[in-house]
Amino acid sequence: MAARGLSRGVMALIVVDSILVVVLIALLISHPRPEGEPTPAATEPAATADEEPGREEPEAEEPEEDEEDEEDEPALQPPEDAVSEAAFVTPSGNIWCELGADSATCTIGSHSYSVPDQPCDGPYGRVLQVSEDEATLPCLSEEPATSAPDGLAELDYGESTVVNDFWCTSEESGVTCYSVMSGRGFSVARANYTTF
């Protein structure tokens, strides 16, 4: 009888131990480690991996960001109160301009300035244009109008308009237009013009 009781006790102990081991394994599998607690094997490599890129990446990225900023940095800052008229005429009606995606172009109805030697066969000297790359008196295929088209907004003297990357200012002394990105531009008035 004693032998049977002992073997039953031992058997019960083995069964209980087995159940506890299975429960413990199930708990370890289903219960994740708390965040931030590293595994012993991963502790050292993770620290090394974090340290090296942490030192090298900012040094590699900073020059690239600086280069991008320099490329995108405008050469000129237009006035904050500028309007956004894509086409306008001066109060005198003698100069009218159009600002587009790639250039700003102004036409003068009449002028007294001397036009340089004509580099082309078409009309030349009454239209000025600025792109991001240069300001020119372009050669035209036909004679430009001598008066502004109807319906253009009037840009009062002292006012500026900015459209895309181009900025024009109307003054009693004439109109000046710029490429905001490059700073290139022109001024035109009845008595004179200049490109820069």
Side-chain angles (χ1 to χ4, degrees):
M1 292 286 284
R4 277 185 197 164
L6 186 60
S7 70
R8 278 185 189 165
V10 170
M11 286 295 285
L13 190 60
I14 291 172
V15 169
V16 168
D17 285 347
S18 299
I19 291 171
L20 287 174
V21 167
V22 169
V23 169
L24 181 63
I25 290 171
L27 283 173
L28 287 173
I29 291 172
S30 66
H31 186 37
R33 288 183 177 276
E35 284 187 28
E37 185 179 317
T39 57
T43 302
E44 194 171 320
T48 308
D50 287 344
E51 284 171 14
E52 288 175 344
R55 286 186 193 136
E56 292 174 8
E57 284 179 10
E59 291 173 12
E61 287 179 6
E62 282 175 15
E64 290 175 14
E65 288 175 6
D66 290 344
E67 287 171 13
E68 287 175 12
D69 289 344
E70 286 173 13
E71 288 173 10
D72 296 335
E73 190 70 29
L76 301 172
Q77 189 62 48
E80 290 181 11
D81 62 348
V83 297
S84 296
E85 291 292 348
F88 69 89
V89 61
T90 58
S92 70
N94 191 43
I95 302 172
W96 57 98
C97 305
E98 185 174 347
L99 290 77
D102 301 318
S103 64
T105 305
C106 290
T107 304
I108 187 163
S110 65
H111 64 83
S112 58
Y113 59 77
S114 298
V115 178
D117 290 339
Q118 197 162 331
C120 57
D121 295 331
Y124 176 76
R126 288 188 34 236
V127 174
L128 290 94
Q129 186 173 60
V130 61
S131 65
E132 186 173 340
D133 299 324
E134 63 180 346
T136 61
L137 280 77
C139 291
L140 305 176
S141 57
E142 57 186 47
E143 193 68 41
T146 55
S147 61
D150 292 334
L152 292 183
E154 187 176 288
L155 192 65
D156 287 335
Y157 296 134
E159 283 192 332
S160 294
T161 181
V162 178
V163 175
N164 298 313
D165 291 330
F166 297 95
W167 160 27
C168 292
T169 299
S170 171
E171 299 285 354
E172 288 187 52
S173 57
V175 172
T176 303
C177 293
Y178 310 88
S179 162
V180 172
M181 298 307 293
S182 68
R184 295 189 179 276
F186 64 80
S187 291
V188 60
R190 190 181 299 273
N192 53 50
Y193 79 92
T194 183
T195 58
F196 48 88

